[in-house]
Amino acid sequence: MTNILFAASAQSWANYEAPLTAALDATGLTYDLRTEFAPADVDYIVYAPDSAVQDFTPYTRLKAVLNLWAGVENVVGNDTLRVPLARMVDHGLTEGMVEWVTGHVLRHHLDIDACLNGQDGVWRPFAPPLARERTVGILGLGALGAACAEALVALNFNVMGWSRRPKSLPGVTCESGADGLARVLAASDIVVLLLPQTPETENTLDADALAQMPDNAVIINPGRGPLIDDDALLAELDSGRLGHATLDVFRIEPLPANHPYWAHPRVTVTSHIASETRKVTASQVIAENIRRGVRGEPFLHLVDRDAGY
Amino acid sequence: MTNILFAASAQSWANYEAPLTAALDATGLTYDLRTEFAPADVDYIVYAPDSAVQDFTPYTRLKAVLNLWAGVENVVGNDTLRVPLARMVDHGLTEGMVEWVTGHVLRHHLDIDACLNGQDGVWRPFAPPLARERTVGILGLGALGAACAEALVALNFNVMGWSRRPKSLPGVTCESGADGLARVLAASDIVVLLLPQTPETENTLDADALAQMPDNAVIINPGRGPLIDDDALLAELDSGRLGHATLDVFRIEPLPANHPYWAHPRVTVTSHIASETRKVTASQVIAENIRRGVRGEPFLHLVDRDAGY
């Protein structure tokens, strides 16, 4: 018998009980899935970082923690966690992110906002340049960044990517290191932020970095709020030097109603909707990792706890 | 010596003289390119259907007419034209169309309009369904429709296509005939019109066809204005049964400032910008066809004058 603790909100349990049960049944394991156990009886924790479980010390036979979220910044530094931690890599989440990023890149590329604001009877026959004449820089080349890069390459955008560790992706000019970041920022008409949140990535777009971007450049942030120095960004937008910021994530969520981003003519706020984990596919990912653990096979999507992601 | 008459507007000549000369030079042909010739001396006409040349009878040694436009509806029925007619198939035009169509499909898929209209401090954490849960129907599977279908398939949309003659495209459910059109209309959340303008395609979306579409369906027309019965569409939009129409082409262009489309809350008018022929690549297409004619090789992109496209 494998005991699986579901440690997340009641709403999350309501969403996941049925699909996770179905996915676990499909593995053929003998298991018990509940929201409460005596800690010493638990083999695996399906985990949301906002769960009541913050001290893993009593979970003495715990084999692994399977995160329900793609972001692990609120659990990776937990010193009481001594077992493997797996992130959520859900193809539904990846697909949703690719659709959102591609949609907003094309929105800015085609200047759809100007079209929507120009329903005034005035015929304005301007055609935008082709995608091959635009450079999109993607900061962060993990599962999400790499998938977005692939979709944008397929649409003929000139795609540059930046990651902490050197990577190679077909059709993408990949950079790393501080010099590489400067090259990506200086060349990109549109920058997409898909870095993990770590102490090193906080304020990746600070005043110095923003100053390296071309005039009228656009920032799209579906990653994490703290990647941007908000005051520095507002200064660049207020002055009209940068073109626009489409922001889906914030240091405080929900973004407070009086935050200057809401009313700023050069900012589009969306409500952390760029992508979400899909219950059915995410349940399959978790069930597969538990099956692997029980069978002694290597876990998928393990977090490098030293790197923080 | 090959004599090439450029029969289009003065503005068009200003745009094309340099790139067309460069493209013809690259073929190695001996040629004379001008905007005026004695008709009996002309071998090829580079042609815009709004040119002063409407009677081809005096062009007694003419080998072919190379259309500068993708649409041929204003030349294909000219009874004085007895030589091959080639349409413009320009990869720049195709790329621009794919970008515009993909951008507006994603705009409607992601409900970007609602996001732009919701910059009011209210956090609305709704995530749209995945593209694989949406069906896009593309009417017209020529060079443009096929390229758009391919891009949407790559983004995981469920893509259906309809064409007069049966076709087959990877990953696309291809239909033809009246029954096929009904199946595509009934299944599509978003319909994209990329049919040629012919007597048979006029009012493809008439009241009967519109009535077959699902509630809240969206229409995107970057093809030709007469494909839609405007009064029937306005009736379906006024009643709120259909969701939205994004229209780039119209029976009269520029669309008159008092046309009800401009002010309609469920219509987005764009100013025939979905795509335009790019001078450099279009010039290469024309030069290649003239080279083929001079060398006795088959022309590319010939119009089937019986079919009208």
Side-chain angles (χ1 to χ4, degrees):
Chain A
M1 177 65 68
T2 300
N3 290 333
I4 305 168
L5 174 66
F6 189 90
S9 67
Q11 179 61 53
S12 188
W13 177 241
N15 291 335
Y16 272 98
E17 184 179 4
L20 189 53
T21 299
L24 287 164
D25 286 347
T27 64
L29 296 177
T30 305
Y31 70 94
D32 191 5
L33 172 67
R34 291 195 253 146
T35 56
E36 288 190 25
F37 276 107
D41 293 338
V42 172
D43 295 294
Y44 294 92
I45 301 180
V46 179
Y47 190 71
D50 64 356
S51 133
V53 176
Q54 295 295 329
D55 179 4
F56 293 95
T57 311
Y59 295 84
T60 50
R61 76 181 222 196
L62 189 64
K63 314 295 191 301
V65 171
L66 296 321
N67 211 48
L68 275 169
W69 301 357
V72 294
E73 64 269 17
N74 293 327
V75 57
V76 71
N78 187 322
D79 288 336
T80 69
L81 178 59
R82 303 295 176 87
V83 299
L85 170 66
R87 78 176 66 260
M88 176 52 60
V89 176
D90 165 32
H91 74 75
L93 181 139
T94 304
E95 287 177 19
M97 183 62 83
V98 168
E99 295 164 19
W100 191 89
V101 167
T102 305
H104 283 278
V105 166
L106 284 169
R107 168 190 155 219
H108 290 295
H109 167 59
L110 299 169
D111 206 354
I112 286 178
D113 294 19
C115 294
L116 297 177
N117 291 330
Q119 300 300 303
D120 53 1
V122 179
W123 191 253
R124 296 179 182 85
F126 76 94
L130 291 175
R132 62 175 65 251
E133 300 165 271
R134 301 271 199 193
T135 298
V136 181
I138 299 180
L139 307 192
L141 297 174
L144 297 176
C148 291
E150 183 183 2
L152 295 170
V153 166
L155 285 166
N156 299 310
F157 284 102
N158 179 26
V159 180
M160 300 183 77
W162 183 78
S163 52
R164 191 174 97 140
R165 292 179 276 211
K167 296 203 177 176
S168 175
L169 291 171
V172 179
T173 304
C174 291
E175 301 273 7
S176 60
D179 288 357
L181 180 59
R183 282 191 291 272
V184 172
L185 292 175
S188 296
D189 301 299
I190 301 172
V191 166
V192 180
L193 296 180
L194 282 167
L195 290 162
Q197 182 179 335
T198 71
E200 287 75 27
T201 63
E202 185 161 359
N203 293 326
T204 294
L205 290 195
D206 58 11
D208 285 349
L210 293 169
Q212 295 170 44
M213 296 179 67
D215 289 352
N216 297 310
V218 168
I219 293 163
I220 299 178
N221 186 12
R224 284 289 182 254
L227 299 174
I228 297 177
D229 178 333
D230 294 318
D231 291 337
L233 175 58
L234 283 165
E236 289 276 27
L237 294 168
D238 285 343
S239 73
R241 208 192 66 75
L242 291 182
H244 202 92
T246 290
L247 308 175
D248 187 54
V249 288
F250 305 91
R251 286 168 194 263
I252 300 173
E253 294 182 7
L255 184 69
N258 63 351
H259 194 285
Y261 280 151
W262 277 113
H264 202 292
R266 291 175 183 264
V267 174
T268 304
V269 172
T270 61
S271 304
H272 204 141
I273 59 169
S275 195
E276 61 176 11
T277 302
R278 313 287 159 161
K279 281 63 185 172
V280 171
T281 48
S283 294
Q284 292 163 351
V285 170
I286 287 170
E288 168 63 12
N289 249 348
I290 292 175
R291 188 198 66 76
R292 284 169 168 259
V294 172
R295 301 291 183 229
E297 300 174 19
F299 291 110
L300 298 173
H301 316 312
L302 285 185
V303 172
D304 175 343
R305 301 190 61 200
D306 288 332
Y309 62 93
Chain B
M1 176 66 67
T2 300
N3 290 334
I4 305 167
L5 174 66
F6 189 90
S9 67
Q11 179 61 51
S12 188
W13 176 242
N15 291 335
Y16 273 98
E17 184 179 4
L20 190 53
T21 298
L24 287 164
D25 287 347
T27 63
L29 296 178
T30 305
Y31 70 93
D32 191 4
L33 171 67
R34 290 194 254 148
T35 57
E36 289 189 24
F37 275 107
D41 293 338
V42 172
D43 296 293
Y44 294 93
I45 301 180
V46 179
Y47 190 69
D50 64 354
S51 131
V53 176
Q54 295 295 331
D55 179 4
F56 292 95
T57 312
Y59 295 85
T60 49
R61 78 181 223 197
L62 189 64
K63 315 294 192 302
V65 171
L66 297 321
N67 212 47
L68 275 169
W69 300 357
V72 294
E73 64 269 17
N74 292 329
V75 58
V76 72
N78 188 321
D79 289 335
T80 69
L81 178 59
R82 304 295 176 86
V83 298
L85 170 66
R87 80 176 66 259
M88 177 51 60
V89 177
D90 165 33
H91 74 75
L93 181 140
T94 304
E95 287 178 20
M97 183 63 82
V98 168
E99 295 164 19
W100 192 89
V101 167
T102 304
H104 283 277
V105 166
L106 284 168
R107 168 190 154 219
H108 290 294
H109 167 60
L110 299 170
D111 206 354
I112 286 179
D113 294 19
C115 295
L116 297 177
N117 292 329
Q119 301 299 302
D120 55 359
V122 179
W123 192 253
R124 296 179 181 86
F126 75 95
L130 291 175
R132 62 175 66 253
E133 300 165 271
R134 302 269 200 194
T135 298
V136 182
I138 299 180
L139 307 192
L141 297 175
L144 297 176
C148 291
E150 182 183 5
L152 295 170
V153 166
L155 286 166
N156 299 310
F157 284 101
N158 179 27
V159 180
M160 300 183 78
W162 182 79
S163 52
R164 191 174 99 137
R165 292 179 275 211
K167 296 203 178 177
S168 175
L169 292 171
V172 178
T173 304
C174 291
E175 301 273 8
S176 60
D179 289 356
L181 180 59
R183 282 191 290 273
V184 172
L185 293 175
S188 296
D189 302 299
I190 301 172
V191 167
V192 180
L193 297 179
L194 283 167
L195 290 163
Q197 182 180 333
T198 71
E200 288 76 26
T201 63
E202 184 160 0
N203 293 326
T204 295
L205 291 195
D206 59 11
D208 286 348
L210 292 168
Q212 296 170 44
M213 297 179 67
D215 288 352
N216 298 311
V218 167
I219 293 163
I220 299 178
N221 186 12
R224 284 287 183 256
L227 299 174
I228 298 178
D229 178 333
D230 295 318
D231 291 338
L233 176 58
L234 283 165
E236 289 277 27
L237 293 167
D238 286 343
S239 73
R241 208 193 65 76
L242 291 182
H244 202 92
T246 291
L247 308 174
D248 187 54
V249 288
F250 305 91
R251 286 169 192 262
I252 299 173
E253 296 181 7
L255 184 68
N258 63 352
H259 194 285
Y261 281 151
W262 277 112
H264 203 290
R266 291 175 183 264
V267 174
T268 304
V269 173
T270 61
S271 304
H272 204 142
I273 59 168
S275 194
E276 60 176 12
T277 302
R278 313 286 159 161
K279 282 62 186 172
V280 171
T281 49
S283 294
Q284 292 163 352
V285 171
I286 286 170
E288 168 63 11
N289 249 348
I290 293 176
R291 187 198 68 74
R292 284 169 166 260
V294 172
R295 301 289 183 231
E297 300 174 20
F299 291 110
L300 298 173
H301 318 311
L302 284 185
V303 172
D304 175 343
R305 300 190 63 199
D306 288 331
Y309 62 93

